[in-house]
Amino acid sequence: MSRLDCDIVRDLTPSYLEEICSDSSRQAVEEHLTECEKCKNYIQMMRQTELVSKKAEQGELDYMKKVKHHFNQKNRAVIGCCVLAVCFLLTSWAMLSVMPYIFGGMTFWFYCATYAPYVVLAVALWLILAEYRGKLQKKGMRIAVGTLGVVGLLYSVGLMEHCIRCAQNNVPVFGIPVAKLGPVVAAQLVAVAIVEFTLTALLAAQTIREEARFGILHVITLLGAFVSIALHNTLFNMESLESYIEQRNTILTVFAAEGIVIVLVIMLLQKFHKIKKE
């Protein structure tokens, strides 16, 4: 065959490989390939190049889909945390307003129902961020946050214990007479609650940013926030020192029970997620 015939075959190669040429053209090309080794090798090379190109395009498409899913997941986590925070504030406000009328007093079940948002918030936050399974990059920060959460919790409980003992002995606290102590203690409890909620937000932000395991540190920081809020509310509703001591003991019992429930629920959910992935 002449060089012109080879040129024609090469011109027909794209349509031949895409199988969009006419039957007569396809037959002419195949007849030429049986006689021309050079064009046959050229066709094979173009076919392999086309396959590699298609695989590359598919790989790029899959990568873009993964990137899109990645950012969508982060956006969903951020939006979910914001919505959860708003729902928590509204629910807590409703609980504090309604529960006294339902239970007719500050009983054990009153505190269980009033501070049920603690359980819901802790479990819901874990569920929102449960998909992040990467390894921690800034372990020191998480350790520091966890330590501050524990310190805040112990400070609230220790502060009230110290104030109760000083009130029983009529001894000033921080140089302030017991009769004028209420606003000072209340301000400190509010400050602790704000710090604990801020630490929880930092934990969530770090998890979303690093895509690392969230763990159960938020259970501690949220516990510190809710205990501080509960002690603050009880402080303004106490009728006597003895009744406050009783209510304080009930509060600590309720939150200890709720904390155990949260940890058990999260452990069961972790096991369920593991089985589901397998």
Side-chain angles (χ1 to χ4, degrees), residues 52-69:
V52 171
S53 178
K54 286 183 177 180
K55 288 181 179 179
E57 290 177 0
Q58 185 62 42
E60 185 177 354
L61 182 62
D62 292 340
Y63 174 76
M64 293 304 295
K65 287 181 178 179
K66 289 180 180 179
V67 171
K68 184 178 180 181
H69 174 74

Side-chain angles (χ1 to χ4, degrees), residues 159 162-163 166-167 171-178 181 185:
L159 174 65
H162 180 63
C163 290
C166 290
V171 176
V173 182
F174 310 123
I176 302 172
V178 174
L181 194 60
V185 175

Side-chain angles (χ1 to χ4, degrees), residues 26-276:
R26 180 179 55 79
Q27 185 177 0
V29 171
E30 290 177 351
E31 288 178 357
H32 177 81
L33 293 179
T34 59
E35 301 176 4
C36 181
E37 190 69 23
K38 187 175 181 180
C39 287
K40 183 178 180 180
N41 292 335
Y42 176 78
I43 292 287
Q44 289 178 347
M45 182 188 70
M46 292 299 293
R47 182 177 283 115
Q48 291 174 355
T49 302
E50 185 181 38
L51 289 174
V52 171
S53 178
K54 286 183 177 180
K55 288 181 179 179
E57 290 177 0
Q58 185 62 42
E60 185 177 354
L61 182 62
D62 292 340
Y63 174 76
M64 293 304 295
K65 287 181 178 179
K66 289 180 180 179
V67 171
K68 184 178 180 181
H69 174 74
H70 169 77
F71 283 104
N72 285 342
Q73 185 181 17
K74 281 199 170 187
N75 291 336
R76 286 195 298 269
V78 172
I79 293 172
C81 289
C82 293
V83 171
L84 186 63
V86 173
C87 291
F88 154 71
L89 291 174
L90 294 175
T91 304
S92 297
W93 175 80
M95 289 288 191
L96 290 172
S97 302
V98 173
M99 288 304 163
Y101 298 99
I102 295 177
F103 290 90
M106 295 182 177
T107 63
F108 175 83
W109 296 111
F110 161 82
Y111 286 113
C112 287
T114 302
Y115 297 104
Y118 166 54
V119 179
V120 177
L121 181 61
V123 174
L125 190 58
W126 185 89
L127 284 173
I128 290 174
L129 304 175
E131 295 301 320
Y132 295 120
R133 296 293 178 181
K135 293 183 179 180
L136 293 175
Q137 299 297 324
K138 297 180 180 179
K139 294 183 179 180
M141 176 183 175
R142 187 153 293 196
I143 293 173
V145 170
T147 302
L148 286 174
V150 173
V151 170
L153 173 61
L154 295 178
Y155 181 81
S156 294
V157 176
L159 174 65
M160 296 311 302
E161 180 65 24
H162 180 63
C163 290
I164 288 172
R165 290 185 179 182
C166 290
Q168 289 174 332
N169 299 314
N170 197 25
V171 176
V173 182
F174 310 123
I176 302 172
V178 174
K180 299 181 180 180
L181 194 60
V184 177
V185 175
Q188 293 185 51
L189 292 173
V190 170
V192 171
I194 293 174
V195 170
E196 295 283 20
F197 278 125
T198 302
L199 293 176
T200 304
L202 288 175
L203 286 172
Q206 184 188 6
T207 297
I208 295 172
R209 184 172 57 252
E210 294 188 11
E211 301 177 24
R213 289 180 178 87
F214 190 79
I216 59 172
L217 285 180
H218 70 295
V219 176
I220 298 174
T221 55
L222 286 175
L223 178 61
F226 273 89
V227 168
S228 298
I229 292 173
L231 292 175
H232 174 274
N233 293 335
T234 307
L235 181 66
F236 280 94
N237 293 311
M238 73 174 186
E239 298 176 355
S240 64
L241 185 61
E242 290 72 20
S243 66
Y244 183 83
I245 294 174
E246 182 180 351
Q247 291 172 17
R248 180 209 58 183
N249 294 337
T250 303
I251 288 172
L252 297 181
T253 302
V254 167
F255 279 109
E258 290 187 346
I260 293 172
V261 169
I262 291 170
V263 172
L264 290 176
V265 170
I266 290 178
M267 289 175 63
L268 289 174
L269 289 173
Q270 284 178 327
K271 188 174 183 180
F272 173 76
H273 271 255
K274 185 178 180 180
I275 294 174
K276 187 177 179 180

